[in-house]
Amino acid sequence: MDLSQQILSRRHAQDQGLNGPESDLCDVNQRQRARPRADSSESHAASLSRIIESQIIPRLMLAHRAAQNASPLPAIDIHAPGPDAIAEFADIVVSSNVSAAAEYVEVQRANGMSLESVYIDLLSPTARHLGYLWENDLCDFTEVTAGLWRLQQLLHELSPAFQGDGAGAQLSGLSRPKLARRALLLPAPGDQHTFGLFMVSEFFRRADWDVWGELPASIEQLISTVREERFDMVGFSVGSVLKLEELKFAIHAVRLESRNKNITVMVGGPIFVAHPEYVDLVGADMTAAHGRDAVIFAEELVARIVVSS
């Protein structure tokens, strides 16, 4: 069965209700909980060992090698906002306009917060906090959508300064010849969340990556894009565990059809921070907690592939 037939078959299965959230990846934890109590501790230890061996250790090695070869990264910003400031800023983006949010950011920057810290320590946690408010019925869908839209508008306004602040050279300052690198960043199939994706793309652009600007609207468009264009990396942003099954299929299709047969696949989102074992389950190479680490890991892995090929 070729890939186009697989796509049609999957869609038929979904229409018949055969590929719901209880299938494959989405019921991993349910199957673990269903095991007898007697072997739960042994099973947990074995699972933890596999995660450490296959996920944690390789990422520590990547981070260590990147840190050795790169210029020193900025220290943790002592002006990073705490939970109360995040809640305050979330209230501003929900109830006010973009100008009010921009004024708040300018006050923080005047008080010593770096622009990178604004991205990592203020805007990203605020987006997650908006999700928390929605999940707990503390804000309705319209309010959260408006808040996320204002955050994205704020990113657009800050982008020129962020791209020109010079820190991108530190992220891509590995001691090797500069290579043209190209990335395709997109939400997981069926996922509508793009704020985190836009933020990650800001870090890659600042590190001189060519980030593809057109988001494929379907799995067929994704396949067509990776067939016709050469990418060093494809990155998927995932907002829900219910999207993992479709993501696994999309990653398989990318590897099968990609013009670059050594393509690197990165996945991101809180799901993978909480469950790093899902990286292997969906067939990806790596994940990262935020845009700065995503660039470091991608630079290192792509460079290793170039050297070995």
Side-chain angles (χ1 to χ4, degrees):
M1 182 183 295
D2 64 23
L3 193 58
S4 61
Q5 290 175 319
Q6 291 181 45
I7 293 171
L8 292 174
S9 176
R10 288 180 62 82
R11 286 181 176 168
H12 176 73
Q14 290 170 343
D15 292 340
Q16 298 299 317
L18 301 178
N19 196 27
E22 278 122 27
S23 68
D24 294 344
L25 290 167
C26 298
D27 67 349
V28 169
N29 290 333
Q30 293 178 9
R31 294 200 301 269
Q32 292 290 340
R33 288 195 294 269
R35 293 181 179 177
R37 182 179 297 271
D39 69 348
S40 61
S41 61
E42 180 181 349
S43 174
H44 176 74
S47 176
L48 182 61
S49 177
R50 286 194 298 272
I51 293 169
I52 292 173
E53 182 179 355
S54 65
Q55 296 293 331
I56 306 302
I57 292 176
R59 289 191 181 92
L60 287 175
M61 292 174 66
L62 279 176
H64 178 65
R65 283 195 293 268
Q68 284 183 320
N69 294 325
S71 303
L73 290 172
I76 295 175
D77 199 320
I78 62 173
H79 302 283
D84 291 342
I86 298 299
E88 178 186 9
F89 187 60
D91 184 61
I92 291 173
V93 298
V94 166
S95 59
S96 301
N97 54 32
V98 177
S99 296
E103 289 175 7
Y104 184 93
V105 169
E106 287 307 309
V107 169
Q108 303 308 310
R109 293 184 66 190
N111 289 334
M113 186 186 298
S114 69
L115 192 52
E116 184 172 89
S117 183
V118 169
Y119 272 55
I120 294 175
D121 301 317
L122 179 62
L123 302 185
S124 287
T126 299
R128 291 194 295 270
H129 185 69
L130 292 178
Y132 168 82
L133 295 178
W134 182 30
E135 291 170 358
N136 290 273
D137 294 324
L138 299 174
C139 275
D140 62 31
F141 178 77
T142 302
E143 291 174 315
V144 171
T145 300
L148 288 172
W149 180 84
R150 292 183 185 112
L151 284 178
Q152 193 145 332
Q153 289 297 111
L154 191 55
L155 275 179
H156 279 288
E157 292 185 7
L158 293 172
S159 180
F162 184 72
Q163 298 299 328
D165 74 351
Q170 293 180 314
L171 292 179
S172 59
L174 303 177
S175 55
R176 60 174 63 94
K178 295 288 289 183
L179 299 173
R181 297 146 300 171
R182 204 174 191 204
L184 172 61
L185 304 177
L186 68 161
D191 205 325
Q192 302 300 316
H193 301 281
T194 59
F195 173 78
L197 193 67
F198 183 84
M199 179 171 289
V200 171
S201 72
E202 285 281 276
F203 281 88
F204 275 95
R205 287 191 175 96
R206 188 177 63 161
D208 294 327
W209 281 66
D210 177 13
V211 180
W212 186 255
E214 300 177 20
L215 294 182
S218 65
I219 186 67
E220 291 89 348
Q221 284 190 15
L222 171 60
I223 292 168
S224 176
T225 300
V226 298
R227 278 176 179 167
E228 296 173 4
E229 304 288 339
R230 189 189 187 284
F231 298 99
D232 296 286
M233 186 197 74
V234 171
F236 292 92
S237 173
V238 187
S240 170
V241 69
L242 301 180
K243 306 299 182 184
L244 293 183
E245 185 69 21
E246 288 301 304
L247 174 62
K248 180 180 180 180
F249 179 75
I251 291 174
H252 171 72
V254 165
R255 292 197 188 280
L256 187 65
E257 300 293 333
S258 177
R259 185 173 176 180
N260 175 13
K261 296 307 178 184
N262 293 318
I263 195 165
T264 294
V265 178
M266 176 179 284
V267 289
I271 294 168
F272 294 106
V273 176
H275 297 280
E277 69 275 17
Y278 287 175
V279 177
D280 279 343
L281 288 176
V282 299
D285 297 307
M286 57 185 167
T287 189
H290 49 67
R292 183 175 60 193
D293 283 353
V295 172
I296 294 172
F297 293 164
E299 291 272 7
E300 178 68 15
L301 191 53
V302 168
R304 287 170 60 195
I305 291 172
V306 170
V307 169
S308 62
S309 61

